[in-house]
């Protein structure tokens, strides 16, 4: 991603955007893809996003994992 910043009327510099962390798009789990597809079919996800979600690469061997948090469930107030 390049950004153009105008310095003067006829001069411009191009600054490079951030470097991608991965060479390829990462896969999501088949279960997550199935859930996204269901949400699209029920129109919970707006139609304008369906193509993006339904074109996501998915794989049966990918496991879903949630990030660890610093907070214990027992620390939460009721």
């Amino acid at each position: 991603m390049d950004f153009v910043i105008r310095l003067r009327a006829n001069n411009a510099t191009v600054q490079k955007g951030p470097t991608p962390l991965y060479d390829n798009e990462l896969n999501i789990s088949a279960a997550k893809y199935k859930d996204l597809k269901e949400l699209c079919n029920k129109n919970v996800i707006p139609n304008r996003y369906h193509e993006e979600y339904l074109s996501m690469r998915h794989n049966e061997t990918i496991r879903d994992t949630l990030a660890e948090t610093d907070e214990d469930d027992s620390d939460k107030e009721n």
Side-chain angles (χ1 to χ4, degrees), residues 12-54:
T13 60
V14 176
Q15 294 181 340
K16 295 287 182 186
T19 305
L21 294 176
Y22 301 98
D23 293 331
N24 300 331
E25 186 177 315
L26 298 179
N27 288 336
I28 61 173
S29 69
K32 184 171 288 185
Y33 179 81
K34 179 181 171 250
D35 291 341
L36 287 169
K37 186 174 178 181
E38 186 176 324
L39 292 171
C40 286
N41 290 339
K42 291 180 178 180
N43 288 318
V44 173
I45 296 175
N47 193 36
R48 65 180 177 263
Y49 300 115
H50 289 189
E51 183 179 344
E52 179 179 353
Y53 285 119
L54 297 177

Side-chain angles (χ1 to χ4, degrees), residues 63-74:
R63 288 186 55 211
D64 276 332
T65 57
L66 296 175
E68 295 286 330
T69 64
D70 294 337
E71 190 175 302
D72 290 333
D73 289 337
S74 60

